[in-house]
Amino acid sequence: MTPGLDRARALLKRTRRVAVLTGAGMSAESGVPTFRDAQTGLWSQFDPMQLACEEGFRADPALVWRWYAWRRALVAEAKPNAGHRALAAARDKLSLITQNVDGLHVRAGSTHALELHGNILRSKCLSNCGKRFDTPEELPQGEPPRCLTCGDWLRPDVVWFGELLDPRILAAAESAAEDCDLMLVVGTSGLVYPAAGLPARAARRNAPVVIINPNESDLDDGADLVIRSTAALALPALFD
Ligand code: OAD
């Protein structure tokens, strides 16, 4: 058995409310690339300042739109893995917070997942006139399409660098972190804030922090237990 799993299972048994924070590693075994893994991460091959900020989009809307269309196709082909399914099966005991925009938690059945960074399947008007499309099938033609209400570009409904998170979703995530008695952190490098600050909020209220990640992360030092395993292996073993 992977070191730490037994201890984590014992902690979990004593727990009333678990908060789970997931990152890109959660979906790696579903075939969705992470951002910062050295060989395979998206940010090792693409420039986030070109593809993941408003300035980059305004400089070349077609390029950015096509990049997200490619990622949407990847996500559409991906299936939730055993880790997503284990979290969905335990959903009544969990507050699930994700940085992932792939929607795989919701597809696995975690219908209340707090999607901190948005959802790549949705699109919205660049001018924030309020127009939104929930699925790619509803979109008008164009690369990118134009907003039917105000005529500005449509863009993916994800949080880009330099943008604020939806305040209601962030507030719900912060409350979940502060109200839990165990925080589980799965598959995140812990480099992007405010998400990466949530485990510290739980720790300040004396909730143990347990990390599942095959590699070192920026949050390891503040954790009570680090399990060097993957999401699809460790989560089913933890919640069975
Ligand atoms: P990163 O790519 O920064 O980190 C992925 C983490 O997953 C790394 O620590 C890996 O070691 C770990 N990992 C890899 N495979 C794993 C597996 N099978 N099981 C468990 N862990 C695994 O991704 P995030 O931390 O999610 O922002 O990145 C945070 C944000 O930065 C993202 O939400 C994205 C990006 O720019 C937006 O989309 C707004």
PDB file of all heavy atoms in Angstrom, residues 22-46 67 70-71 74-75 81 100-102 186-189 213-215 231:
ATOM      1  N   THR A  22      -8.933  20.453  -6.185  1.00  0.00           N
ATOM      2  CA  THR A  22      -8.253  19.717  -7.256  1.00  0.00           C
ATOM      3  C   THR A  22      -7.641  20.672  -8.278  1.00  0.00           C
ATOM      4  O   THR A  22      -8.084  21.802  -8.449  1.00  0.00           O
ATOM      5  CB  THR A  22      -9.203  18.734  -7.980  1.00  0.00           C
ATOM      6  OG1 THR A  22     -10.175  19.470  -8.736  1.00  0.00           O
ATOM      7  CG2 THR A  22      -9.905  17.803  -7.010  1.00  0.00           C
ATOM      8  N   GLY A  23      -6.585  20.142  -8.942  1.00  0.00           N
ATOM      9  CA  GLY A  23      -5.932  20.879 -10.020  1.00  0.00           C
ATOM     10  C   GLY A  23      -5.762  19.972 -11.225  1.00  0.00           C
ATOM     11  O   GLY A  23      -6.307  18.854 -11.267  1.00  0.00           O
ATOM     12  N   ALA A  24      -4.978  20.426 -12.161  1.00  0.00           N
ATOM     13  CA  ALA A  24      -4.882  19.759 -13.457  1.00  0.00           C
ATOM     14  C   ALA A  24      -4.467  18.289 -13.356  1.00  0.00           C
ATOM     15  O   ALA A  24      -4.875  17.467 -14.182  1.00  0.00           O
ATOM     16  CB  ALA A  24      -3.906  20.523 -14.345  1.00  0.00           C
ATOM     17  N   GLY A  25      -3.663  17.945 -12.321  1.00  0.00           N
ATOM     18  CA  GLY A  25      -3.244  16.552 -12.163  1.00  0.00           C
ATOM     19  C   GLY A  25      -4.416  15.607 -11.974  1.00  0.00           C
ATOM     20  O   GLY A  25      -4.314  14.411 -12.264  1.00  0.00           O
ATOM     21  N   MET A  26      -5.537  16.138 -11.484  1.00  0.00           N
ATOM     22  CA  MET A  26      -6.752  15.340 -11.284  1.00  0.00           C
ATOM     23  C   MET A  26      -7.206  14.703 -12.598  1.00  0.00           C
ATOM     24  O   MET A  26      -7.713  13.579 -12.616  1.00  0.00           O
ATOM     25  CB  MET A  26      -7.849  16.286 -10.759  1.00  0.00           C
ATOM     26  CG  MET A  26      -9.174  15.649 -10.483  1.00  0.00           C
ATOM     27  SD  MET A  26      -9.149  14.692  -8.968  1.00  0.00           S
ATOM     28  CE  MET A  26      -9.945  13.207  -9.552  1.00  0.00           C
ATOM     29  N   SER A  27      -7.017  15.425 -13.689  1.00  0.00           N
ATOM     30  CA  SER A  27      -7.509  14.948 -14.993  1.00  0.00           C
ATOM     31  C   SER A  27      -6.407  14.372 -15.873  1.00  0.00           C
ATOM     32  O   SER A  27      -6.675  13.984 -17.015  1.00  0.00           O
ATOM     33  CB  SER A  27      -8.209  16.093 -15.738  1.00  0.00           C
ATOM     34  OG  SER A  27      -9.298  16.580 -14.990  1.00  0.00           O
ATOM     35  N   ALA A  28      -5.166  14.311 -15.341  1.00  0.00           N
ATOM     36  CA  ALA A  28      -4.051  13.838 -16.178  1.00  0.00           C
ATOM     37  C   ALA A  28      -4.312  12.411 -16.671  1.00  0.00           C
ATOM     38  O   ALA A  28      -4.064  12.083 -17.840  1.00  0.00           O
ATOM     39  CB  ALA A  28      -2.745  13.906 -15.392  1.00  0.00           C
ATOM     40  N   GLU A  29      -4.854  11.568 -15.779  1.00  0.00           N
ATOM     41  CA  GLU A  29      -5.098  10.172 -16.173  1.00  0.00           C
ATOM     42  C   GLU A  29      -6.350  10.031 -17.057  1.00  0.00           C
ATOM     43  O   GLU A  29      -6.650   8.936 -17.525  1.00  0.00           O
ATOM     44  CB  GLU A  29      -5.194   9.292 -14.931  1.00  0.00           C
ATOM     45  CG  GLU A  29      -3.830   9.076 -14.287  1.00  0.00           C
ATOM     46  CD  GLU A  29      -3.908   8.948 -12.776  1.00  0.00           C
ATOM     47  OE1 GLU A  29      -4.319   9.931 -12.109  1.00  0.00           O
ATOM     48  OE2 GLU A  29      -3.571   7.871 -12.276  1.00  0.00           O
ATOM     49  N   SER A  30      -7.052  11.135 -17.288  1.00  0.00           N
ATOM     50  CA  SER A  30      -8.123  11.140 -18.294  1.00  0.00           C
ATOM     51  C   SER A  30      -7.582  11.598 -19.643  1.00  0.00           C
ATOM     52  O   SER A  30      -8.346  11.739 -20.608  1.00  0.00           O
ATOM     53  CB  SER A  30      -9.255  12.086 -17.865  1.00  0.00           C
ATOM     54  OG  SER A  30      -9.892  11.611 -16.712  1.00  0.00           O
ATOM     55  N   GLY A  31      -6.296  11.911 -19.688  1.00  0.00           N
ATOM     56  CA  GLY A  31      -5.693  12.341 -20.953  1.00  0.00           C
ATOM     57  C   GLY A  31      -5.725  13.840 -21.184  1.00  0.00           C
ATOM     58  O   GLY A  31      -5.428  14.299 -22.290  1.00  0.00           O
ATOM     59  N   VAL A  32      -6.079  14.611 -20.163  1.00  0.00           N
ATOM     60  CA  VAL A  32      -6.090  16.082 -20.305  1.00  0.00           C
ATOM     61  C   VAL A  32      -4.731  16.592 -19.796  1.00  0.00           C
ATOM     62  O   VAL A  32      -4.374  16.340 -18.643  1.00  0.00           O
ATOM     63  CB  VAL A  32      -7.237  16.716 -19.476  1.00  0.00           C
ATOM     64  CG1 VAL A  32      -7.260  18.224 -19.670  1.00  0.00           C
ATOM     65  CG2 VAL A  32      -8.580  16.103 -19.861  1.00  0.00           C
ATOM     66  N   PRO A  33      -3.969  17.297 -20.632  1.00  0.00           N
ATOM     67  CA  PRO A  33      -2.635  17.719 -20.191  1.00  0.00           C
ATOM     68  C   PRO A  33      -2.686  18.705 -19.022  1.00  0.00           C
ATOM     69  O   PRO A  33      -3.616  19.505 -18.925  1.00  0.00           O
ATOM     70  CB  PRO A  33      -2.033  18.416 -21.429  1.00  0.00           C
ATOM     71  CG  PRO A  33      -3.056  18.389 -22.495  1.00  0.00           C
ATOM     72  CD  PRO A  33      -4.287  17.716 -22.001  1.00  0.00           C
ATOM     73  N   THR A  34      -1.677  18.620 -18.140  1.00  0.00           N
ATOM     74  CA  THR A  34      -1.552  19.604 -17.060  1.00  0.00           C
ATOM     75  C   THR A  34      -0.919  20.873 -17.655  1.00  0.00           C
ATOM     76  O   THR A  34      -0.709  20.962 -18.876  1.00  0.00           O
ATOM     77  CB  THR A  34      -0.675  19.060 -15.917  1.00  0.00           C
ATOM     78  OG1 THR A  34       0.642  18.862 -16.427  1.00  0.00           O
ATOM     79  CG2 THR A  34      -1.233  17.766 -15.349  1.00  0.00           C
ATOM     80  N   PHE A  35      -0.613  21.837 -16.792  1.00  0.00           N
ATOM     81  CA  PHE A  35      -0.023  23.090 -17.279  1.00  0.00           C
ATOM     82  C   PHE A  35       1.485  23.124 -17.097  1.00  0.00           C
ATOM     83  O   PHE A  35       2.224  23.578 -17.960  1.00  0.00           O
ATOM     84  CB  PHE A  35      -0.658  24.291 -16.555  1.00  0.00           C
ATOM     85  CG  PHE A  35      -2.105  24.448 -16.903  1.00  0.00           C
ATOM     86  CD1 PHE A  35      -3.090  23.890 -16.118  1.00  0.00           C
ATOM     87  CD2 PHE A  35      -2.468  25.106 -18.068  1.00  0.00           C
ATOM     88  CE1 PHE A  35      -4.426  23.995 -16.471  1.00  0.00           C
ATOM     89  CE2 PHE A  35      -3.799  25.220 -18.435  1.00  0.00           C
ATOM     90  CZ  PHE A  35      -4.784  24.659 -17.625  1.00  0.00           C
ATOM     91  N   ARG A  36       1.967  22.641 -15.922  1.00  0.00           N
ATOM     92  CA  ARG A  36       3.369  22.904 -15.576  1.00  0.00           C
ATOM     93  C   ARG A  36       4.250  21.666 -15.500  1.00  0.00           C
ATOM     94  O   ARG A  36       5.391  21.758 -15.099  1.00  0.00           O
ATOM     95  CB  ARG A  36       3.439  23.690 -14.256  1.00  0.00           C
ATOM     96  CG  ARG A  36       2.825  25.063 -14.408  1.00  0.00           C
ATOM     97  CD  ARG A  36       2.823  25.883 -13.137  1.00  0.00           C
ATOM     98  NE  ARG A  36       2.121  27.136 -13.404  1.00  0.00           N
ATOM     99  CZ  ARG A  36       0.799  27.269 -13.433  1.00  0.00           C
ATOM    100  NH1 ARG A  36       0.016  26.243 -13.174  1.00  0.00           N
ATOM    101  NH2 ARG A  36       0.246  28.438 -13.718  1.00  0.00           N
ATOM    102  N   ASP A  37       3.721  20.482 -15.848  1.00  0.00           N
ATOM    103  CA  ASP A  37       4.604  19.311 -15.868  1.00  0.00           C
ATOM    104  C   ASP A  37       5.631  19.525 -16.976  1.00  0.00           C
ATOM    105  O   ASP A  37       5.305  20.035 -18.070  1.00  0.00           O
ATOM    106  CB  ASP A  37       3.795  18.023 -16.047  1.00  0.00           C
ATOM    107  CG  ASP A  37       3.176  17.567 -14.718  1.00  0.00           C
ATOM    108  OD1 ASP A  37       3.934  17.281 -13.793  1.00  0.00           O
ATOM    109  OD2 ASP A  37       1.933  17.559 -14.621  1.00  0.00           O
ATOM    110  N   ALA A  38       6.881  19.142 -16.687  1.00  0.00           N
ATOM    111  CA  ALA A  38       8.007  19.580 -17.513  1.00  0.00           C
ATOM    112  C   ALA A  38       7.877  19.240 -19.012  1.00  0.00           C
ATOM    113  O   ALA A  38       8.019  20.113 -19.849  1.00  0.00           O
ATOM    114  CB  ALA A  38       9.291  19.010 -16.942  1.00  0.00           C
ATOM    115  N   GLN A  39       7.593  18.017 -19.346  1.00  0.00           N
ATOM    116  CA  GLN A  39       7.562  17.638 -20.772  1.00  0.00           C
ATOM    117  C   GLN A  39       6.191  17.850 -21.402  1.00  0.00           C
ATOM    118  O   GLN A  39       6.075  18.269 -22.544  1.00  0.00           O
ATOM    119  CB  GLN A  39       7.918  16.147 -20.940  1.00  0.00           C
ATOM    120  CG  GLN A  39       9.245  15.753 -20.345  1.00  0.00           C
ATOM    121  CD  GLN A  39      10.394  16.412 -21.073  1.00  0.00           C
ATOM    122  OE1 GLN A  39      10.383  16.514 -22.293  1.00  0.00           O
ATOM    123  NE2 GLN A  39      11.382  16.886 -20.326  1.00  0.00           N
ATOM    124  N   THR A  40       5.144  17.535 -20.601  1.00  0.00           N
ATOM    125  CA  THR A  40       3.799  17.426 -21.188  1.00  0.00           C
ATOM    126  C   THR A  40       2.896  18.608 -20.877  1.00  0.00           C
ATOM    127  O   THR A  40       1.830  18.733 -21.468  1.00  0.00           O
ATOM    128  CB  THR A  40       3.124  16.156 -20.642  1.00  0.00           C
ATOM    129  OG1 THR A  40       3.214  16.211 -19.206  1.00  0.00           O
ATOM    130  CG2 THR A  40       3.834  14.897 -21.118  1.00  0.00           C
ATOM    131  N   GLY A  41       3.301  19.473 -19.934  1.00  0.00           N
ATOM    132  CA  GLY A  41       2.424  20.567 -19.509  1.00  0.00           C
ATOM    133  C   GLY A  41       2.200  21.590 -20.627  1.00  0.00           C
ATOM    134  O   GLY A  41       3.113  21.889 -21.403  1.00  0.00           O
ATOM    135  N   LEU A  42       0.987  22.125 -20.679  1.00  0.00           N
ATOM    136  CA  LEU A  42       0.653  23.079 -21.755  1.00  0.00           C
ATOM    137  C   LEU A  42       1.588  24.286 -21.741  1.00  0.00           C
ATOM    138  O   LEU A  42       1.993  24.781 -22.788  1.00  0.00           O
ATOM    139  CB  LEU A  42      -0.798  23.547 -21.604  1.00  0.00           C
ATOM    140  CG  LEU A  42      -1.871  22.493 -21.898  1.00  0.00           C
ATOM    141  CD1 LEU A  42      -3.254  23.024 -21.541  1.00  0.00           C
ATOM    142  CD2 LEU A  42      -1.828  22.075 -23.365  1.00  0.00           C
ATOM    143  N   TRP A  43       1.936  24.742 -20.518  1.00  0.00           N
ATOM    144  CA  TRP A  43       2.782  25.954 -20.458  1.00  0.00           C
ATOM    145  C   TRP A  43       4.256  25.669 -20.768  1.00  0.00           C
ATOM    146  O   TRP A  43       5.076  26.581 -20.780  1.00  0.00           O
ATOM    147  CB  TRP A  43       2.647  26.671 -19.120  1.00  0.00           C
ATOM    148  CG  TRP A  43       1.282  27.209 -18.789  1.00  0.00           C
ATOM    149  CD1 TRP A  43       0.800  27.431 -17.529  1.00  0.00           C
ATOM    150  CD2 TRP A  43       0.227  27.643 -19.676  1.00  0.00           C
ATOM    151  NE1 TRP A  43      -0.489  27.943 -17.582  1.00  0.00           N
ATOM    152  CE2 TRP A  43      -0.861  28.076 -18.889  1.00  0.00           C
ATOM    153  CE3 TRP A  43       0.065  27.676 -21.071  1.00  0.00           C
ATOM    154  CZ2 TRP A  43      -2.065  28.550 -19.418  1.00  0.00           C
ATOM    155  CZ3 TRP A  43      -1.132  28.139 -21.611  1.00  0.00           C
ATOM    156  CH2 TRP A  43      -2.165  28.569 -20.792  1.00  0.00           C
ATOM    157  N   SER A  44       4.589  24.388 -21.035  1.00  0.00           N
ATOM    158  CA  SER A  44       5.946  24.116 -21.531  1.00  0.00           C
ATOM    159  C   SER A  44       5.976  24.203 -23.062  1.00  0.00           C
ATOM    160  O   SER A  44       7.032  24.261 -23.671  1.00  0.00           O
ATOM    161  CB  SER A  44       6.439  22.745 -21.050  1.00  0.00           C
ATOM    162  OG  SER A  44       5.718  21.721 -21.691  1.00  0.00           O
ATOM    163  N   GLN A  45       4.787  24.195 -23.674  1.00  0.00           N
ATOM    164  CA  GLN A  45       4.721  24.242 -25.145  1.00  0.00           C
ATOM    165  C   GLN A  45       4.104  25.530 -25.690  1.00  0.00           C
ATOM    166  O   GLN A  45       4.322  25.882 -26.838  1.00  0.00           O
ATOM    167  CB  GLN A  45       3.871  23.069 -25.664  1.00  0.00           C
ATOM    168  CG  GLN A  45       4.391  21.702 -25.270  1.00  0.00           C
ATOM    169  CD  GLN A  45       3.283  20.655 -25.355  1.00  0.00           C
ATOM    170  OE1 GLN A  45       2.663  20.498 -26.394  1.00  0.00           O
ATOM    171  NE2 GLN A  45       3.013  19.974 -24.257  1.00  0.00           N
ATOM    172  N   PHE A  46       3.272  26.177 -24.861  1.00  0.00           N
ATOM    173  CA  PHE A  46       2.550  27.367 -25.330  1.00  0.00           C
ATOM    174  C   PHE A  46       2.793  28.519 -24.364  1.00  0.00           C
ATOM    175  O   PHE A  46       3.079  28.295 -23.184  1.00  0.00           O
ATOM    176  CB  PHE A  46       1.043  27.075 -25.405  1.00  0.00           C
ATOM    177  CG  PHE A  46       0.664  25.939 -26.317  1.00  0.00           C
ATOM    178  CD1 PHE A  46       0.362  24.689 -25.789  1.00  0.00           C
ATOM    179  CD2 PHE A  46       0.622  26.109 -27.692  1.00  0.00           C
ATOM    180  CE1 PHE A  46       0.014  23.632 -26.618  1.00  0.00           C
ATOM    181  CE2 PHE A  46       0.276  25.056 -28.532  1.00  0.00           C
ATOM    182  CZ  PHE A  46      -0.023  23.813 -27.994  1.00  0.00           C
ATOM    183  N   TRP A  67      -7.071  27.744 -30.351  1.00  0.00           N
ATOM    184  CA  TRP A  67      -6.375  26.979 -29.305  1.00  0.00           C
ATOM    185  C   TRP A  67      -7.385  26.419 -28.305  1.00  0.00           C
ATOM    186  O   TRP A  67      -7.306  25.274 -27.898  1.00  0.00           O
ATOM    187  CB  TRP A  67      -5.337  27.861 -28.595  1.00  0.00           C
ATOM    188  CG  TRP A  67      -4.427  27.094 -27.680  1.00  0.00           C
ATOM    189  CD1 TRP A  67      -3.462  26.204 -28.048  1.00  0.00           C
ATOM    190  CD2 TRP A  67      -4.411  27.147 -26.239  1.00  0.00           C
ATOM    191  NE1 TRP A  67      -2.835  25.707 -26.922  1.00  0.00           N
ATOM    192  CE2 TRP A  67      -3.386  26.267 -25.800  1.00  0.00           C
ATOM    193  CE3 TRP A  67      -5.133  27.856 -25.292  1.00  0.00           C
ATOM    194  CZ2 TRP A  67      -3.087  26.078 -24.454  1.00  0.00           C
ATOM    195  CZ3 TRP A  67      -4.832  27.674 -23.951  1.00  0.00           C
ATOM    196  CH2 TRP A  67      -3.818  26.791 -23.538  1.00  0.00           C
ATOM    197  N   TRP A  70      -9.326  23.577 -29.815  1.00  0.00           N
ATOM    198  CA  TRP A  70      -8.528  22.336 -29.744  1.00  0.00           C
ATOM    199  C   TRP A  70      -8.630  21.719 -28.350  1.00  0.00           C
ATOM    200  O   TRP A  70      -8.844  20.506 -28.189  1.00  0.00           O
ATOM    201  CB  TRP A  70      -7.067  22.656 -30.098  1.00  0.00           C
ATOM    202  CG  TRP A  70      -6.107  21.559 -29.762  1.00  0.00           C
ATOM    203  CD1 TRP A  70      -6.005  20.339 -30.364  1.00  0.00           C
ATOM    204  CD2 TRP A  70      -5.125  21.573 -28.695  1.00  0.00           C
ATOM    205  NE1 TRP A  70      -5.008  19.594 -29.754  1.00  0.00           N
ATOM    206  CE2 TRP A  70      -4.452  20.326 -28.740  1.00  0.00           C
ATOM    207  CE3 TRP A  70      -4.737  22.523 -27.751  1.00  0.00           C
ATOM    208  CZ2 TRP A  70      -3.428  19.997 -27.844  1.00  0.00           C
ATOM    209  CZ3 TRP A  70      -3.712  22.192 -26.859  1.00  0.00           C
ATOM    210  CH2 TRP A  70      -3.078  20.951 -26.916  1.00  0.00           C
ATOM    211  N   ARG A  71      -8.525  22.554 -27.316  1.00  0.00           N
ATOM    212  CA  ARG A  71      -8.620  22.031 -25.940  1.00  0.00           C
ATOM    213  C   ARG A  71     -10.032  21.524 -25.641  1.00  0.00           C
ATOM    214  O   ARG A  71     -10.206  20.529 -24.945  1.00  0.00           O
ATOM    215  CB  ARG A  71      -8.216  23.116 -24.938  1.00  0.00           C
ATOM    216  CG  ARG A  71      -6.701  23.289 -24.876  1.00  0.00           C
ATOM    217  CD  ARG A  71      -6.300  24.315 -23.839  1.00  0.00           C
ATOM    218  NE  ARG A  71      -6.742  23.956 -22.505  1.00  0.00           N
ATOM    219  CZ  ARG A  71      -6.917  24.843 -21.517  1.00  0.00           C
ATOM    220  NH1 ARG A  71      -6.680  26.132 -21.727  1.00  0.00           N
ATOM    221  NH2 ARG A  71      -7.310  24.466 -20.320  1.00  0.00           N
ATOM    222  N   LEU A  74     -10.269  18.099 -26.974  1.00  0.00           N
ATOM    223  CA  LEU A  74      -9.574  17.150 -26.089  1.00  0.00           C
ATOM    224  C   LEU A  74     -10.459  16.754 -24.909  1.00  0.00           C
ATOM    225  O   LEU A  74     -10.584  15.580 -24.560  1.00  0.00           O
ATOM    226  CB  LEU A  74      -8.330  17.827 -25.492  1.00  0.00           C
ATOM    227  CG  LEU A  74      -6.994  17.729 -26.177  1.00  0.00           C
ATOM    228  CD1 LEU A  74      -5.941  18.459 -25.354  1.00  0.00           C
ATOM    229  CD2 LEU A  74      -6.599  16.260 -26.308  1.00  0.00           C
ATOM    230  N   VAL A  75     -11.071  17.767 -24.321  1.00  0.00           N
ATOM    231  CA  VAL A  75     -11.901  17.551 -23.141  1.00  0.00           C
ATOM    232  C   VAL A  75     -13.156  16.747 -23.507  1.00  0.00           C
ATOM    233  O   VAL A  75     -13.590  15.868 -22.752  1.00  0.00           O
ATOM    234  CB  VAL A  75     -12.283  18.928 -22.526  1.00  0.00           C
ATOM    235  CG1 VAL A  75     -13.446  18.823 -21.582  1.00  0.00           C
ATOM    236  CG2 VAL A  75     -11.071  19.533 -21.823  1.00  0.00           C
ATOM    237  N   ASN A  81     -12.017   9.913 -14.743  1.00  0.00           N
ATOM    238  CA  ASN A  81     -11.255   8.720 -14.332  1.00  0.00           C
ATOM    239  C   ASN A  81     -11.755   8.226 -12.968  1.00  0.00           C
ATOM    240  O   ASN A  81     -12.683   8.789 -12.366  1.00  0.00           O
ATOM    241  CB  ASN A  81      -9.749   9.025 -14.358  1.00  0.00           C
ATOM    242  CG  ASN A  81      -9.347  10.092 -13.364  1.00  0.00           C
ATOM    243  OD1 ASN A  81      -9.729  10.034 -12.199  1.00  0.00           O
ATOM    244  ND2 ASN A  81      -8.582  11.087 -13.830  1.00  0.00           N
ATOM    245  N   ASN A 100      -9.954  23.210 -12.262  1.00  0.00           N
ATOM    246  CA  ASN A 100     -10.024  22.688 -13.635  1.00  0.00           C
ATOM    247  C   ASN A 100     -11.216  23.249 -14.390  1.00  0.00           C
ATOM    248  O   ASN A 100     -12.294  23.435 -13.822  1.00  0.00           O
ATOM    249  CB  ASN A 100     -10.080  21.158 -13.609  1.00  0.00           C
ATOM    250  CG  ASN A 100      -8.836  20.577 -12.977  1.00  0.00           C
ATOM    251  OD1 ASN A 100      -7.856  21.295 -12.822  1.00  0.00           O
ATOM    252  ND2 ASN A 100      -8.879  19.318 -12.596  1.00  0.00           N
ATOM    253  N   VAL A 101     -11.005  23.477 -15.665  1.00  0.00           N
ATOM    254  CA  VAL A 101     -12.059  24.050 -16.504  1.00  0.00           C
ATOM    255  C   VAL A 101     -12.668  22.965 -17.401  1.00  0.00           C
ATOM    256  O   VAL A 101     -13.478  23.257 -18.272  1.00  0.00           O
ATOM    257  CB  VAL A 101     -11.509  25.217 -17.362  1.00  0.00           C
ATOM    258  CG1 VAL A 101     -11.015  26.356 -16.487  1.00  0.00           C
ATOM    259  CG2 VAL A 101     -10.391  24.752 -18.308  1.00  0.00           C
ATOM    260  N   ASP A 102     -12.267  21.699 -17.175  1.00  0.00           N
ATOM    261  CA  ASP A 102     -12.674  20.630 -18.100  1.00  0.00           C
ATOM    262  C   ASP A 102     -14.057  20.040 -17.810  1.00  0.00           C
ATOM    263  O   ASP A 102     -14.570  19.241 -18.609  1.00  0.00           O
ATOM    264  CB  ASP A 102     -11.612  19.507 -18.117  1.00  0.00           C
ATOM    265  CG  ASP A 102     -11.326  18.924 -16.735  1.00  0.00           C
ATOM    266  OD1 ASP A 102     -12.234  18.882 -15.882  1.00  0.00           O
ATOM    267  OD2 ASP A 102     -10.172  18.497 -16.509  1.00  0.00           O
ATOM    268  N   VAL A 186      -5.494  17.704  -4.360  1.00  0.00           N
ATOM    269  CA  VAL A 186      -5.165  16.675  -5.346  1.00  0.00           C
ATOM    270  C   VAL A 186      -4.670  17.302  -6.651  1.00  0.00           C
ATOM    271  O   VAL A 186      -5.389  18.086  -7.290  1.00  0.00           O
ATOM    272  CB  VAL A 186      -6.425  15.821  -5.680  1.00  0.00           C
ATOM    273  CG1 VAL A 186      -6.044  14.653  -6.593  1.00  0.00           C
ATOM    274  CG2 VAL A 186      -7.107  15.319  -4.419  1.00  0.00           C
ATOM    275  N   GLY A 187      -3.450  16.979  -7.042  1.00  0.00           N
ATOM    276  CA  GLY A 187      -3.004  17.289  -8.397  1.00  0.00           C
ATOM    277  C   GLY A 187      -2.874  18.760  -8.730  1.00  0.00           C
ATOM    278  O   GLY A 187      -3.202  19.169  -9.834  1.00  0.00           O
ATOM    279  N   THR A 188      -2.364  19.540  -7.775  1.00  0.00           N
ATOM    280  CA  THR A 188      -2.097  20.946  -8.112  1.00  0.00           C
ATOM    281  C   THR A 188      -0.673  21.310  -7.706  1.00  0.00           C
ATOM    282  O   THR A 188      -0.169  20.831  -6.695  1.00  0.00           O
ATOM    283  CB  THR A 188      -3.107  21.918  -7.449  1.00  0.00           C
ATOM    284  OG1 THR A 188      -2.768  23.270  -7.807  1.00  0.00           O
ATOM    285  CG2 THR A 188      -3.149  21.799  -5.935  1.00  0.00           C
ATOM    286  N   SER A 189      -0.050  22.178  -8.526  1.00  0.00           N
ATOM    287  CA  SER A 189       1.301  22.640  -8.191  1.00  0.00           C
ATOM    288  C   SER A 189       1.260  23.648  -7.049  1.00  0.00           C
ATOM    289  O   SER A 189       2.277  23.935  -6.430  1.00  0.00           O
ATOM    290  CB  SER A 189       1.955  23.277  -9.422  1.00  0.00           C
ATOM    291  OG  SER A 189       1.146  24.335  -9.895  1.00  0.00           O
ATOM    292  N   ASN A 213      -0.249  13.789  -4.716  1.00  0.00           N
ATOM    293  CA  ASN A 213       0.485  14.309  -5.879  1.00  0.00           C
ATOM    294  C   ASN A 213       1.722  13.417  -6.073  1.00  0.00           C
ATOM    295  O   ASN A 213       2.463  13.198  -5.115  1.00  0.00           O
ATOM    296  CB  ASN A 213       0.903  15.769  -5.612  1.00  0.00           C
ATOM    297  CG  ASN A 213       1.344  16.485  -6.881  1.00  0.00           C
ATOM    298  OD1 ASN A 213       2.055  15.928  -7.710  1.00  0.00           O
ATOM    299  ND2 ASN A 213       0.926  17.739  -7.017  1.00  0.00           N
ATOM    300  N   PRO A 214       1.964  12.913  -7.271  1.00  0.00           N
ATOM    301  CA  PRO A 214       3.145  12.058  -7.457  1.00  0.00           C
ATOM    302  C   PRO A 214       4.454  12.845  -7.362  1.00  0.00           C
ATOM    303  O   PRO A 214       5.516  12.255  -7.212  1.00  0.00           O
ATOM    304  CB  PRO A 214       2.951  11.489  -8.875  1.00  0.00           C
ATOM    305  CG  PRO A 214       2.009  12.426  -9.559  1.00  0.00           C
ATOM    306  CD  PRO A 214       1.158  13.030  -8.499  1.00  0.00           C
ATOM    307  N   ASN A 215       4.361  14.178  -7.459  1.00  0.00           N
ATOM    308  CA  ASN A 215       5.568  15.019  -7.443  1.00  0.00           C
ATOM    309  C   ASN A 215       5.477  16.053  -6.319  1.00  0.00           C
ATOM    310  O   ASN A 215       4.408  16.282  -5.761  1.00  0.00           O
ATOM    311  CB  ASN A 215       5.701  15.762  -8.782  1.00  0.00           C
ATOM    312  CG  ASN A 215       5.634  14.810  -9.944  1.00  0.00           C
ATOM    313  OD1 ASN A 215       6.411  13.865 -10.019  1.00  0.00           O
ATOM    314  ND2 ASN A 215       4.680  15.025 -10.847  1.00  0.00           N
ATOM    315  N   ALA A 231      -4.096  10.655  -8.699  1.00  0.00           N
ATOM    316  CA  ALA A 231      -5.513  10.852  -8.371  1.00  0.00           C
ATOM    317  C   ALA A 231      -6.315   9.574  -8.613  1.00  0.00           C
ATOM    318  O   ALA A 231      -7.111   9.155  -7.771  1.00  0.00           O
ATOM    319  CB  ALA A 231      -6.063  11.995  -9.213  1.00  0.00           C
TER     320      ALA A 231
END
